Amino acid sequence: MLKLIGLFSAVLAFGPFTSLLDFLLGGSTELIMDRKKIADIDELDVDSYKTFSYPRPADPARYPGQYLAATLVRLDNGEYRAYNTVCTHLQCIAQYKSEGKSFVEKGEQELECPCHGSIFSSNTGFPIAGPAFMLKLGGLPEIQIEIAEDGIYAIGLVGEIGIGRSWD
């Protein structure tokens, strides 16, 4: 009986740490870069955006979904860009901003982090203001896209989620 009580006490004491231990010791945090349709060709007007989720985790139970947040932007010149929107400063989710733009030159579309105000260029994905810029942190990971007759597809990721891309 004493062994049973000891086992029960151990489960209660270490129970909260089992998910962390499980994450550290097993399971896959691998991200799968499937070709995924993210928009129809005529879906986005110039200076507009669409949010989506990409890439796909190998094991959804082991990878927080908010870290897969992404935004497809159609720039003023008609070109498309897509980024994982986890801020490289403190991993909040940056949001597209075109109305009431807060920075840089006219025509600059932005992704702005609501937590501490880091601002990323929609054209390049690199920080242009705020803590991510001042600390010389990397640009948002770029989602590679393919434009086909039947839509716009995400096909890969350049950079590391939450850390970004290098300035090189």
Side-chain angles (χ1 to χ4, degrees):
M1 181 69 168
L2 221 45
K3 288 183 181 178
L4 186 60
I5 291 173
L7 178 63
F8 183 71
S9 297
V11 168
L12 287 177
F14 295 105
F17 301 105
T18 57
S19 60
L20 176 61
L21 188 61
D22 189 39
F23 175 78
L24 293 174
L25 296 179
S28 175
T29 56
E30 178 186 5
L31 296 171
I32 299 168
M33 310 292 169
D34 291 337
R35 183 176 188 257
K36 176 182 178 180
K37 185 173 183 178
I38 55 177
D40 290 323
I41 288 291
D42 59 352
E43 187 172 341
L44 293 177
D45 294 328
V46 168
D47 195 18
S48 64
Y49 73 101
K50 179 181 182 179
T51 58
F52 62 99
S53 179
Y54 188 84
R56 179 174 61 87
D59 184 354
R62 297 184 189 274
Y63 208 93
Q66 71 268 22
Y67 290 105
L68 307 177
T71 299
L72 173 68
V73 176
R74 187 161 187 199
L75 303 173
D76 287 336
N77 64 8
E79 293 180 6
Y80 293 93
R81 300 281 190 279
Y83 303 101
N84 170 276
T85 51
V86 176
C87 180
T88 57
H89 176 230
L90 291 176
Q91 289 74 46
C92 295
I93 306 302
Q95 299 164 355
Y96 179 75
K97 184 176 184 179
S98 73
E99 301 253 343
K101 297 172 190 169
S102 60
F103 197 73
V104 215
E105 52 205 63
K106 189 176 181 176
E108 179 76 47
Q109 294 142 295
E110 305 164 353
L111 292 156
E112 183 174 359
C113 179
C115 296
H116 300 104
S118 288
I119 299 173
F120 300 85
S121 166
S122 293
N123 192 44
T124 66
F126 283 95
I128 54 177
F133 178 76
M134 291 185 290
L135 295 170
K136 303 269 187 253
L137 300 176
L140 297 172
E142 184 175 6
I143 296 173
Q144 297 170 313
I145 57 173
E146 173 188 315
I147 300 174
E149 289 181 15
D150 63 335
I152 302 168
Y153 292 83
I155 59 170
L157 183 72
V158 177
E160 194 170 336
I161 294 172
I163 296 173
R165 295 177 285 140
S166 73
W167 288 84
D168 299 338

